[in-house]
Amino acid sequence: MLKDKTILLGITGGIAAYKSAELARLLIKEGAAVQVVMTANAEAFITPLTMRTLTGRPVYSSLFNPSYGSATVHIDLAREPDMVVVAPATANFLGKIASGIADDLLSTVLLAVDLQVRPVILAPSMNTAMFHNPAVRDNIKLLRQRGYIFADPLAGVLACGDVGEGRMVEPGQLLLLIKDKLSARADYSGLTVLVTAGPTREPLDPVRFFSNHSSGRMGYALARAARERGARVLLISGPTALEPPPGVDFYPVESAREMYALVMDKFSLADVIIKTAAVADYRPEETYAQKIKKSGDLSIRLVRNPDILQELGSRKGTRFLVGFAAETENLQDNAHKKLAAKNLDLIVANDLTREGAGFAQETNKVSLLYRDGRVEELPLMTKYELAHLILGRIRGLMVDI
Ligand code: CTP
């Protein structure tokens, strides 16, 4: 199962370090090559000789050891593995990587690992009070946002006799997580996906704007799913209440014109462009510098915004272009017209009148309309499930291009 895979196993100084010996043994039994890097404190708990004997490879622990041969051993170690696992990861170690500190070999390797290319699993192990300390909570939150994967510690009796969360997961469970993450579909690796999401805001004066009900959920689900399948993801989003998914390049914008400028700047990098954003078709002709004071009735003249999708359709070349169509009537007719008029490869048609579909919901019910006239009606599903399904269909069609 793990044949031809190389795992870099980082061990830091916690009592759970003894479990890493078992983890190394399990990984090797599955056919993986295991490269161990230990911190100086880890060596107080388990000897390099144990790990060297189990893995059949030299154990690295120093930044400056002439016997390693290479002067840039930290870079070599960061580039070799398919995955990095730090088990146990102490509170101190999490703090160091959260703040970019590289003061020993393992923290330096971690800083040099490209998270876009290889996953990093962290298995924290510490006393409950330390685990719940706000500094540690913040570090874990930040690291998750940056795309690190956590093997959450278990509750139980800890080495110090305290009972609570903080016990490192068992090696068998960690092995399952490692296998799971390594076997995740990687059908987008090497590809760049640009996703636009959310509403736009069209300012009228310093306190007012025109906008719509888009929550951004569909676009964020697509960005997350594409990242999980190995893509580099550029997410250009209007204002939403959502956290950007881990590991994506995030570009916040406000107005349709800002979104237009950024999309035009970035689209040439992308192989696939998915436009879920609910772009305002109109904006106030004039944006007032001062707040408009009330006095009688008021007319506001609206002018057309640029149609981003239309423009992309004319410039797309061989890129795969996906549009969304939100309709309240004549769904298929209107969606077909948009697909043809905007030179799309696929359009996801959303009937806003259907139960479970549309804005601010966790679920969606859509039809996929293809260039060749085919229509695929999909059942109600979560936006995350739908995101994976859409990405699967796109990938299938790209093979034909
Ligand atoms: N879109 C865009 N730029 C705009 C308006 C829409 O890129 N100024 C994109 C949306 O991101 C979506 C698709 O066009 O992928 C369809 O949006 P929708 O509002 O359903 O359709 P419109 O093309 O604006 O047509 P209409 O308003 O007439 O329904």
Side-chain angles (χ1 to χ4, degrees), residues 196-198 200 256 259-260 263 274-282 304-312 322-328 334 338 342 344 347-348 350 352:
T196 69
T200 61
M259 184 174 278
Y260 176 86
V263 170
I274 310 177
K275 284 233 61 203
T276 70
V279 186
D281 291 318
Y282 294 92
R304 283 290 300 270
N305 266 330
D307 188 325
I308 307 171
L309 196 55
Q310 181 90 48
E311 185 64 29
L312 285 172
V322 183
F324 272 64
E327 305 289 349
T328 52
N334 284 334
K338 278 180 199 171
K342 299 189 183 186
L344 310 180
I347 193 157
V348 183
N350 212 332
L352 294 179

